[in-house]
Amino acid sequence: MMSVVSSPFNSARIAPQRTQGSGRLSVKQGHLQQTSLDRLYQQGAAKIRLPHIYEGPGMEAVLINSAGGLTGGDVFKWALSAASGTRLTVASQACEKIYKSTGEDAVVSTHIHVEEDARLDWLPQETILYDNARLDRELTVDLAENARFLAVEAVLLGRLAMGERLNHFSMRDRWNIRRGGRLVHAEALHFKESSDNLVQRRAVLDGHVAFATLCYTSPDQDELSALAVVFQEMLVGSEGGVSTFNGKLLVRLTAPDGLKLRKNLIPLIQKLRNNDPMPKVWMS
């Protein structure tokens, strides 16, 4: 009689491999008041590179996902800290791609701490969602009373140039920004149904598949008010709006595609950076 040996692979579902990454970066004020590295930690697929920049006293960091994208069950955590008197710009190496999920969310959390008289610019490149993608993302920011913070998040619902079309996706995006322990900005975005139903609604995206939020917080209300007037002129002819309240300048933009969105977004970012150049990874 012939016996059959059952394989353990037939008796239990094999869990797919998932990506995890964690990166922490802090900067301090060094020689001649230049911003310098304090601590750097990276684990898993999360990498941080510090390119040399020649303009100004600040420092630039580039965040990298060496896995090449995210899917359901992947988890990434970033922590960034700028000590008193420092200036730090943080960008991503490339657009972050959120691929199809079998049910779980891709989870990304970022915590930022900015001390007195410091400034941190959070400038990741666009996030691209693919059909059936699932993303759960959170940004938490703690600012000292006299700190400045600029944040930009842009999202593309597929790649039109590649003929991609999103039928279903899920995206949760939460922001919480505090100054001196007081909440100055909070928002929670949640997309969870047919993309066609959402994108076509006039109160949502009005048929557009690219959108961005830009938030600049400053202790100087006169600065914010002056910038709001300038931005109103800059936004003429684009699909967007600007407002200033509660110690922040807030801009919302939508566009029919990613190229148009970037064309409208970059001049606004440069204006808020006092015409300092964009991170080189944005231009490559």
Side-chain angles (χ1 to χ4, degrees):
M1 180 181 296
M2 182 175 64
S3 61
V4 177
V5 179
S6 62
S7 169
F9 298 105
N10 297 328
S11 59
R13 180 178 179 271
I14 303 301
Q17 184 177 9
R18 295 308 184 203
T19 298
Q20 293 190 354
S22 177
R24 298 193 294 269
L25 172 70
S26 61
V27 296
K28 61 183 179 181
Q29 196 171 70
H31 183 60
L32 299 178
Q33 298 185 330
Q34 293 284 326
T35 300
S36 62
L37 177 64
D38 183 19
R39 294 184 178 182
L40 171 64
Y41 170 85
Q42 53 190 14
Q43 176 268 328
K47 310 298 181 187
I48 302 176
R49 297 296 179 263
L50 306 173
H52 186 75
I53 59 175
Y54 298 92
E55 305 90 355
M59 189 171 180
E60 189 174 299
V62 177
L63 307 185
I64 301 171
N65 172 9
S66 62
L70 297 172
T71 187
D74 293 346
V75 178
F76 266 70
K77 298 179 180 180
W78 303 104
L80 309 165
S81 180
S84 297
T86 60
R87 179 166 180 173
L88 176 63
T89 298
V90 182
S92 59
Q93 182 191 37
C95 297
E96 185 66 273
K97 300 175 181 65
I98 314 299
Y99 295 112
K100 176 182 177 180
S101 169
T102 57
E104 296 180 280
D105 293 337
V107 179
V108 181
S109 63
T110 304
H111 186 273
I112 293 173
H113 178 77
V114 188
E115 297 185 4
E116 290 289 344
D117 296 314
R119 172 169 176 156
L120 193 147
D121 291 354
W122 171 247
L123 304 176
Q125 297 189 65
E126 297 91 337
T127 298
I128 303 175
L129 273 66
Y130 287 71
D131 197 25
N132 291 304
R134 297 183 61 89
L135 175 63
D136 187 343
R137 186 169 64 183
E138 184 173 19
L139 174 66
T140 304
V141 184
D142 294 309
L143 305 174
E145 290 289 355
N146 205 32
R148 283 175 167 80
F149 175 67
L150 169 61
V152 175
E153 288 286 5
V155 177
L156 310 181
L157 303 179
R159 299 178 299 177
L160 290 181
M162 302 296 291
E164 295 170 354
R165 180 184 180 90
L166 269 65
N167 295 310
H168 297 87
F169 68 96
S170 173
M171 178 181 178
R172 293 184 178 89
D173 200 10
R174 301 177 300 283
W175 292 29
N176 288 281
I177 303 175
R178 290 178 170 81
R179 178 180 298 281
R182 306 183 312 276
L183 187 66
V184 296
H185 181 71
E187 64 176 80
L189 173 69
H190 188 191
F191 286 160
K192 188 180 180 181
E193 59 176 278
S194 166
S195 173
D196 286 337
N197 292 338
L198 283 171
V199 171
Q200 300 304 324
R201 294 179 188 175
R202 184 168 178 79
V204 183
L205 293 177
D206 196 21
H208 290 168
V209 295
F211 61 94
T213 296
L214 183 154
C215 183
Y216 175 59
T217 60
S218 167
D220 187 347
Q221 185 58 49
D222 290 339
E223 175 195 17
L224 296 173
S225 299
L227 284 168
V229 174
V230 174
F231 274 29
Q232 287 172 354
E233 298 178 357
M234 295 177 68
L235 288 170
V236 172
S238 63
E239 297 292 333
V242 58
S243 59
T244 176
F245 59 100
N246 201 24
K248 66 193 174 191
L249 178 84
L250 193 64
V251 179
R252 309 283 191 185
L253 284 173
T254 68
D257 55 59
L259 183 62
K260 180 67 173 178
L261 181 68
R262 181 172 279 221
K263 181 180 178 181
N264 293 333
L265 186 59
I266 288 179
L268 303 178
I269 297 173
Q270 290 179 313
K271 183 65 178 178
L272 290 174
R273 285 169 54 82
N274 299 314
N275 296 318
D276 284 351
M278 294 290 292
K280 289 183 174 58
V281 288
W282 270 73
M283 315 309 292
S284 59

